Amino acid sequence: MLRLIATRFALGLLTLLAVSVLIFICTQILPGDVASAVLGQQATPESLKVFRAELGLDKPAYLRYLQWLLGVLHGDFGKSLTNGRVIIDELAPRFINTLFLASYAAVIAVPLAVGLGILSAIREGRLTDRLANILTLIAISVPEFFVAYILIIVFAIKLAWFPSLATVDSDMGLGMRTYVAFLPALTLTLVVMAHMLRMTRNSVLSIMSTPYIEMAFLKGLTRSRVVAWHALPNALGPIVSVVALNLAYLVVGVVVVENVFVYPGVGQYMVDAVAKRDVPVIQACGLVFAAVFVTLNTVADILAMLANPRLRRRR
Amino acid sequence: MTIFGHRPPLTARIGLIVVAFYLLVALIGPWFAPYAQSQSVGDTWAPSSAQMWLGADQIGRDMLTRLIYGARTTIGIAAATTVLSFFIGITLGFTAAVLAGWVDVVLSRLVDVILSIPQLILALIILGVFGSSIPVLIFTIAIIDSTKVFRLARALGMNLAVLDYVEVARMRGEGLWWIIRSEILPNAMAPLISEFGLRFCFNFLFVAALSFLGIGVQPPFADWGGMVRENSAAINFGLFAPLYPAIAIASLTVGVNLVVDWLLSIDARPSGSQAEM
């Protein structure tokens, strides 16, 4: 068992390594190079040469990759090309802000989605279930910013309960942060909840079609008791991995939502860097997002293994 | 009314009407647009009137005209992306399934790595390096999206490549391309068509999200995601300007989804071909 988890963990690390190579390659296939892109029109052969040496572009690609990777492992992402600041100093507080927003949304979304998903499975085909079905289909089809603007119009403009811009700074107390970040968190919640609810409902329902559940019904048990006592323990594994997978989805949703509410997180930092074509910052943010994504996927797999003994056998 | 010998249910009919409407707008709408694409005809965020049905945008251009031109850009890019993505994904997926061996291993592992980076993040990285223009946008999204098509096509191809008639074709000495085109593709058509609808929705939302972030379609082209961004300040004055393009995006995706749901219910996919979104 321990060995299996260790194997999965090692696979996660390997994936992360491959991802870092891919991100590095993506930023190296530029026609010309970063130096000529940054200097643009004003480039003279001398200034190009000096700038290349400064960025280390005169060394072969694999050496630069190893240097970059070594730096990243020491928390050194290099300097921003546009303002020359050390990236990690800007990235770290923003990363904490993003984690705060994502976990805020997760704390609301997970219990609500799992609860409603189970309820919707219990009342399959009835009005509650159909209503949930239509609402979640709409929530999935609609872009995040649409949900965000509707919430802003209702809660920030018409009712004026919450601010429309979620500007958070470091000396804000937890209570104030929670208040200011409520609308972005609610947007993320609605977007993620729809996926989570549907998948929870489906994993409970797929268990409901097994023979032992039919047996429980034939004994004369009520539907709610069968779901809660017989189906749920077996559906727990899939539900846990559904939750973890959707938390990984949060990582992506956060980019758009942060930009709507001008929330100072990694997503906004990355989009700014992309607009300015600030390659080291793009690399750093990309790696951070990918790392969180891979970690959550690995955790999802390990939790599924723990919850379901049948997955522990070697395939 | 019957299509492909099936009567579509009410939800699918609504979906078909919505999709047909937007396609028509994208194709011939600009001929009927009341003003020119970048012509300033009113005040900033002028309210809707008889001359401007949906009011004006942030620099006084007619909102309805912008929406009509935006339909062409946004739907056009999403459609081009999906076609390209299917071409790449199906070709490589079937090749991997037919040839198997190391070709399959290399392609599959490559796809695994690409899929372990969130797609929006990967698109941001590529667009950040190359800068954003419409061809770069189409190629980037198509390559990222083709990984999903690859997985489905490979799974479908795997089931078909072991069948007798494919074996016969191989023994006749037919080439790889002929086997893919004449033996495998026709038999994998049904699930691929409904997948096309799903991928179109996904790419459409993807383009809209990137344009909304300001790194997709660049001005002066009108496109729905970019229009939401340009008009977003209006929301603070309680005006609905950014909601019109957002509603257009949302209604088209819901429409396509309704049609796809129906297509999926007609031909359930063969087992083993379930590709996650």
Side-chain angles (χ1 to χ4, degrees):
Chain A
M1 184 63 211
L2 210 63
R3 221 178 114 190
L4 230 92
I5 291 181
T7 321
R8 185 63 191 84
F9 188 70
L11 188 68
L13 279 182
L14 197 68
T15 315
L16 208 52
L17 196 69
V19 164
S20 76
V21 174
L22 185 67
I23 290 180
F24 190 79
I25 292 174
C26 281
T27 53
Q28 297 299 316
I29 46 180
L30 193 69
D33 59 14
V34 179
S36 46
V38 169
L39 291 179
Q41 296 289 322
Q42 296 103 36
T44 59
E46 290 79 35
S47 68
L48 262 182
K49 201 174 166 194
V50 172
F51 197 49
R52 280 205 184 116
E54 196 184 316
L55 292 174
L57 286 175
D58 47 355
K59 298 190 196 91
Y62 71 95
L63 260 181
R64 271 180 285 142
Y65 170 71
L66 288 179
Q67 257 174 1
W68 177 65
L69 191 68
L70 219 68
V72 167
L73 291 176
H74 289 95
D76 172 19
F77 287 97
K79 282 180 186 168
S80 156
L81 287 183
T82 43
N83 57 15
R85 288 200 207 137
V86 180
I87 293 175
I88 188 74
D89 293 346
E90 292 206 38
L91 192 61
R94 283 164 178 274
F95 184 60
I96 292 172
N97 284 346
T98 298
L99 276 189
F100 173 75
L101 181 58
S103 25
Y104 189 177
V107 166
I108 311 176
V110 173
L112 214 58
V114 172
L116 288 177
I118 293 170
L119 185 73
S120 161
I122 292 177
R123 307 185 62 89
E124 192 204 353
R126 308 262 277 283
L127 190 65
T128 340
D129 180 39
R130 279 200 216 155
L131 206 65
N133 206 13
I134 293 173
L135 287 179
T136 50
L137 180 73
I138 292 174
I140 289 171
S141 320
V142 155
E144 289 99 341
F145 49 79
F146 183 66
V147 178
Y149 283 130
I150 297 280
L151 289 180
I152 289 182
I153 285 190
V154 175
F155 290 106
I157 310 289
K158 298 279 178 219
L159 297 172
W161 287 351
F162 297 97
S164 63
L165 295 183
T167 34
V168 182
D169 51 61
S170 50
D171 44 56
M172 232 178 217
L174 184 68
M176 196 60 195
R177 263 172 192 256
T178 317
Y179 171 68
V180 169
F182 180 74
L183 283 187
L186 188 62
T187 311
L188 276 176
T189 303
L190 290 179
V191 174
V192 168
M193 217 180 88
H195 282 276
M196 237 190 260
L197 197 158
R198 287 202 144 198
M199 287 156 90
T200 306
R201 173 181 178 274
N202 290 348
S203 51
V204 173
L205 282 182
S206 72
I207 304 254
M208 294 299 281
S209 58
T210 52
Y212 80 94
I213 294 290
E214 200 181 351
M215 174 66 201
F217 276 121
L218 291 176
K219 277 197 301 194
L221 298 180
T222 58
R223 194 171 165 85
S224 51
R225 192 182 158 85
V226 172
V227 171
W229 288 90
H230 297 253
L232 209 51
N234 267 314
L236 208 59
I239 290 178
V240 167
S241 43
V242 161
V243 168
L245 282 180
N246 280 292
L247 293 186
Y249 182 78
L250 259 182
V251 178
V252 185
V254 97
V255 176
V256 173
V257 172
E258 278 178 6
N259 276 280
V260 175
F261 291 96
V262 200
Y263 183 86
V266 186
Q268 205 204 15
Y269 189 38
M270 182 166 190
V271 171
D272 280 351
V274 171
K276 292 177 192 149
R277 303 182 67 181
D278 190 342
V279 174
V281 178
I282 299 174
Q283 279 178 333
C285 295
L287 196 63
V288 166
F289 275 121
V292 175
F293 194 70
V294 171
T295 311
L296 283 171
N297 275 316
T298 309
V299 170
D301 276 7
I302 292 178
L303 284 179
M305 267 189 232
L306 288 174
N308 187 350
R310 276 166 295 188
L311 289 179
R312 285 178 213 160
R313 262 186 240 127
R314 282 187 168 274
R315 265 168 272 162
Chain B
M1 187 177 77
T2 56
I3 297 172
F4 306 137
H6 295 270
R7 274 182 71 82
L10 182 65
T11 50
R13 279 185 205 190
I14 297 174
L16 281 170
I17 291 170
V18 171
V19 173
F21 171 71
Y22 279 119
L23 282 183
L24 209 65
V25 169
L27 286 175
I28 59 168
W31 293 343
F32 298 97
Y35 301 97
Q37 186 176 187
S38 43
Q39 181 190 3
S40 190
V41 288
D43 298 332
T44 297
W45 294 318
S48 56
S49 59
Q51 286 79 40
M52 291 182 285
W53 290 359
L54 297 179
D57 72 354
Q58 88 284 6
I59 52 173
R61 292 170 296 193
D62 179 44
M63 182 65 84
L64 184 63
T65 310
R66 298 283 291 169
L67 277 178
I68 292 172
Y69 277 95
R72 184 174 269 191
T73 325
T74 316
I75 297 175
I77 291 179
T81 307
T82 316
V83 170
L84 188 61
S85 142
F86 266 68
F87 180 74
I88 302 173
I90 289 178
T91 312
L92 292 182
F94 285 165
T95 308
V98 175
L99 291 181
W102 66 268
V103 179
D104 182 29
V105 173
V106 169
L107 285 174
S108 297
R109 288 297 86 76
L110 185 67
V111 164
D112 286 349
V113 174
I114 294 178
L115 279 176
S116 56
I117 303 179
Q119 308 195 342
L120 181 62
I121 302 300
L122 188 56
L124 286 181
I125 295 175
I126 299 177
L127 289 172
V129 172
F130 284 99
S132 191
S133 63
I134 289 180
V136 173
L137 193 65
I138 292 177
F139 270 96
T140 306
I141 302 179
I143 288 172
I144 293 175
D145 190 61
S146 66
T147 52
K148 297 278 172 72
V149 183
F150 171 86
R151 284 206 168 165
L152 175 66
R154 180 177 168 275
L156 290 169
M158 285 285 187
N159 289 342
L160 294 170
V162 291
L163 295 181
D164 289 342
Y165 59 83
V166 180
E167 199 58 36
V168 169
R170 261 188 239 198
M171 280 194 276
R172 273 205 311 269
E174 304 288 4
L176 172 69
W177 185 244
W178 197 92
I179 293 180
I180 288 178
R181 207 172 47 83
S182 313
E183 304 288 353
I184 300 202
L185 189 59
N187 293 294
M189 230 30 213
L192 285 176
I193 288 176
S194 39
E195 184 71 9
F196 188 87
L198 283 178
R199 305 286 1 131
F200 173 81
C201 272
F202 184 84
N203 291 333
F204 177 72
L205 285 178
F206 206 174
V207 175
L210 285 173
S211 299
F212 172 74
L213 292 174
I215 40 203
V217 182
Q218 301 296 321
F221 291 104
D223 96 287
W224 291 347
M227 287 172 68
V228 178
R229 173 196 175 79
E230 291 165 358
N231 290 295
S232 61
I235 214 97
N236 295 319
F237 308 111
L239 301 168
F240 294 117
L243 283 188
Y244 296 126
I247 288 172
I249 296 169
S251 55
L252 178 59
T253 356
V254 173
V256 177
N257 267 322
L258 290 176
V259 178
V260 169
D261 264 3
W262 169 59
L263 286 178
L264 280 177
S265 68
I266 296 178
D267 44 58
R269 294 181 188 185
S271 58
S273 66
Q274 300 283 337
E276 84 275 40
M277 199 185 86

